[in-house]
Amino acid sequence: MATFIIRRLMFLPLVAFVVTLVVFAVIWSMGPDVLLRAYMTGNASKSPNAEQRIVEKYGLDRPAVVMYFKWFGNTLRGDMGYSLTASSRVSEAILARLPASLELLILALIPIMFFGSRLGIRAAMHPDGFTDSVFGFLSIVGWATPDYVMALLILVGSFTIFGWLPIGNLTTSLIKDWNTYSNSLIIDSILNLRLDILLAQLVNLIQPVLTLFIVHSAYVFQISRATALEVKKKDFIRAARSRGVSERTIMLTHVRRNALIPVVTVGGELFASLFAGLAFVETIFARPGIGRLLTEAAISFEVLTLSGLVLLIAAVMLLVNIVVDIIYSYLDPRILLWDNGKSERAE
């Protein structure tokens, strides 16, 4: 187990290095003049000799190798430039908007994994039955519908049918006796003992959570259903049937336990892909998160803001993949045997 984890962790620096090289190559390709104008924003442009100090600080007049290490060092210190879109430093803009995106992701991922996996296993209990046909059709429609189309349909439908579901985010500046601890309204409302703010924020999240749930639970449904049908053909399932174990007990005890293993892997990958694809949903529902910042930065062509967001998304995807590999190795030890066998053959 330790060897497997260490082997996976050894790839992290190499992959991170390649990601930073790609991001830096995009920044460097803009040319020193464009980068100088990008860095000459905020209060820095008002100070004397600002241009010369910025050139020296970011190595804009140095070779690409030197400039890369200067950029990499500044990035590690949180100095990624200034964001005109957020009217703040890029690192501050990311930290201020990250909790809102995590709120949406976590609240959407829980029902996606829970209902998607349970419905998939239930559909596998009676293949081609009524439940399988209905939810199979709905899953195909949901998975085939892009996020932005589903978001627009839910936005228009909620105003037409209900007429009261809000969009956006609550403004805490007008709330009396409010202390900000984490920039997450759900966490801060709990710490401030404000149940009304908590309920209002949960209502604001209904539409974006519903959008992500309809689209992405379909994928979990298909994975869990296909895995359950495959597990039902295993020898130990036939042995259980031969002993007179009921079909319901087989499905809920033996099949579900084995069918949930790939669902855990899908959950990690889904979290990373959802994080990278929040742009449409947060923009349509006016959520102040990472996705909306990415969209606004792309429209304004702010290279520094975009590069910071790309680095954040890449870091999240790397960490999630490592965590998923570790969890998967605990749930299914066979992957350790396969990994050891592969390394032995290589030797």
Side-chain angles (χ1 to χ4, degrees), residues 305-340:
T305 305
L306 290 173
S307 63
L309 292 172
V310 170
L311 288 175
L312 172 66
I313 293 172
V316 170
M317 297 186 76
L318 285 175
L319 292 177
V320 168
N321 286 330
I322 292 296
V323 172
V324 167
D325 285 342
I326 295 174
I327 294 176
Y328 196 91
S329 65
Y330 277 105
L331 295 177
D332 189 2
R334 291 175 299 177
I335 192 175
L336 300 177
L337 299 176
W338 178 86
D339 191 73
N340 292 333

Side-chain angles (χ1 to χ4, degrees), residues 187-246:
I187 296 177
D188 290 345
S189 61
I190 296 175
L191 295 178
N192 283 278
L193 303 179
R194 295 294 300 271
L195 182 61
D196 55 335
I197 303 298
L198 175 61
L199 294 177
Q201 178 66 359
L202 292 176
V203 171
N204 279 351
L205 287 167
I206 289 177
Q207 296 176 91
V209 167
L210 184 61
T211 300
L212 296 177
F213 170 76
I214 293 176
V215 174
H216 296 281
S217 62
Y219 179 58
V220 178
F221 171 87
Q222 294 288 350
I223 293 295
S224 58
R225 177 186 179 276
T227 307
L229 290 175
E230 183 180 352
V231 173
K232 287 177 65 176
K233 301 176 183 178
K234 300 293 185 180
D235 293 336
F236 70 93
I237 298 297
R238 298 194 189 99
R241 288 196 184 100
S242 66
R243 294 195 302 269
V245 181
S246 65

Side-chain angles (χ1 to χ4, degrees), residues 142-156:
W143 185 240
T145 306
D147 289 352
Y148 61 89
V149 174
M150 185 62 69
L152 290 173
L153 291 175
I154 290 177
L155 180 64
V156 174

